[in-house]
Amino acid sequence: MPAAIYPGSFDPLTNGHLSLIQRGLKMFDRLIVALLVNPKKQPLFTIEERVTMIRDAVNDPRIEIDSFQGLLVDYAQKKGVNTMLRGLRAVSDFEYEFQLANMNRKLRPDIETVFMMTGEDYFYVSSNLVREVASLGGNVEGLVPPNVLKKLKAKYSGGKP
Ligand code: ADP
């Protein structure tokens, strides 16, 4: 099995993402975790912070962590990789993922998207919700890796560790 690109915002990395990465590595020799730089979105963590958090949480030589701007299909072409890995949590993910996969295939017919179901412990976990709960002082321990938990706590305590 060759390589796959796992694209996303990862703002921040959650245990749901990690579960997908670990299971993706059973299917692919190499995974490129590709952070989408979206100038229209105001992220909680900078790209550099997000890359560092992923690097600290996933220590595997088969993982490349990278970022890209613009169309995923252009990035895929540049990397010479045709397979995209995406996760499905609930039915609500399906419609958007279905549109995205088909749009990518329309833009470049040789692109294939492989979907993996989330681990049953993480089907309700999204970066969005994690950010919201953490910002309100809720405990997201167990939903994100320990290094991300630390960064979230620092972020929401005004930078104090
Ligand atoms: P997006 O900004 O498109 O939501 P994310 O960075 O949140 O991207 O997620 C990237 C990919 O990881 C998406 O395919 C998303 O469905 C998947 N994903 C996110 N959270 C989970 C989870 N808890 N379990 C499985 N897949 C997930």
Side-chain angles (χ1 to χ4, degrees):
M1 271 286 190
I5 294 175
Y6 179 30
S9 311
F10 306 101
D11 186 29
L13 178 77
T14 68
N15 284 343
H17 295 132
L18 268 185
S19 156
L20 219 75
I21 290 172
Q22 278 151 4
R23 284 154 53 228
L25 280 176
K26 292 186 188 150
M27 291 183 65
F28 299 99
D29 287 339
R30 208 159 53 84
L31 271 188
I32 303 170
V33 179
L35 280 78
L36 171 65
V37 182
N38 185 351
K40 279 184 247 156
K41 267 197 198 165
Q42 185 60 45
L44 177 63
F45 292 103
T46 65
I47 282 287
E48 293 73 26
E49 286 176 310
R50 281 179 267 163
V51 167
T52 305
M53 279 189 277
I54 300 173
R55 190 162 290 138
D56 289 347
V58 196
N59 189 6
D60 193 306
R62 294 169 297 167
I63 304 275
E64 180 188 338
I65 305 159
D66 195 12
S67 62
F68 72 102
Q69 216 163 352
L71 285 174
L72 176 61
V73 292
D74 292 340
Y75 173 73
Q77 188 157 33
K78 196 184 99 194
K79 298 299 276 186
V81 175
N82 290 338
T83 309
M84 306 302 117
L85 175 66
R86 295 286 286 179
L88 283 179
R89 280 160 290 196
V91 184
S92 50
D93 276 343
F94 177 79
E95 198 169 326
Y96 175 66
E97 293 290 344
F98 182 72
Q99 285 183 348
L100 201 65
N102 281 288
M103 181 57 83
N104 284 336
R105 201 157 43 186
K106 163 90 180 126
L107 295 171
R108 257 193 63 202
D110 52 346
I111 291 279
E112 285 296 345
T113 306
V114 170
F115 293 100
M116 289 189 95
M117 299 296 283
T118 178
E120 71 268 20
D121 293 338
Y122 305 121
F123 71 93
Y124 63 98
V125 179
S126 69
S127 297
N128 236 339
L129 201 52
V130 160
R131 282 200 308 272
E132 196 166 327
V133 170
S135 75
L136 297 170
N139 184 6
V140 292
E141 196 173 350
L143 306 183
V144 295
N147 66 313
V148 174
L149 187 68
K150 232 188 233 171
K151 294 276 180 206
L152 278 168
K153 282 184 177 161
K155 209 46 124 181
Y156 288 118
S157 62
K160 293 191 289 289

